[in-house]
Amino acid sequence: MKLAESMEMASKILADATKGVVFTGAGISAESGVPTYRGHGGATWSKYDPSRYANIDNFFSEPEYFWSFFKEVRSRVLSDCHPNPGHGAITELQKRGIVHRIITQNIDGLHQLAGSQNVIELHGNTRFFDCLDCGNVHSLDDIVKMQKETLVPKCQACGGVVKPRVVFFGDALDSETLQNATEAVASCDVILIIGSTLQVYPAAQLPIIVAKRKKPIIIANYGSTELDPIATCRLEGKASEILPALVDSLSDSSTNNPKPESPK
Ligand code: APR
Ligand code: ZN
């Protein structure tokens, strides 16, 4: 199917939706300067073996690996990244009453910075760092400052172990968060998936639940994904171009928030 035809199909599906779920991965933030893990725009895990740099057991036994990765690869990018037009388009779909939940695998907090509400962060958020001993919370700025002095930051209050509020490889997802995401896909009328290779579970299980319910699956991605075979339609390209175009293609009459009548 040509892109124009897929866009038309996606636009028609979304025009009828009132309980859409958006499901995002690293690709939505690629154009904000955050490198992806796999596929276009990044090869993070081929350079930094996750079993060494992002595994929970290793985080405790050899913390200098994670923290050197964080210092070199993540902290500068995260301190200086901003939402792009793709994030903005998702917020617009939510404002129009088409999308009601956003599920993200990303830990960069950019959906919220773009004004999106009801964001379910499956893998946590790397702007918060908890002391595992006293519960003191540190900000990204705190960590950046501490890492100028010492590679492995320690709690400012008690000297305890500080951990980013994210899910590491080998960690379980927060059960309530996963439950909320599962409920969202179990009741949605469409899922719009953006910028994910759909290789990591249990996150990638969520679109499969939608497929079993025989609801439409729209995949917008630069490059192929594992679940392309079950997509109702696929929009190939960059999120910051495709998503605003998709919003533009939805006519005003298709929105689910009818404009208030003007006073007589
Ligand atoms: N627009 C849309 N898609 C893009 C763009 C873009 N501008 N740039 C890259 N992509 C695509 C890539 O080609 C790839 O197909 O986005 C996808 C990103 O896939 P991954 O890097 O695998 O990211 P994701 O699926 O979110 O990874 C899942 O794996 O490492 C763990 O916990 C980490 O949450 C992450 C999870
Ligand atoms: Zn502490």
Side-chain angles (χ1 to χ4, degrees), residues 131 133-136 155 157-160:
C131 171
D133 292 345
C134 76
N136 189 27
C155 172
C158 78

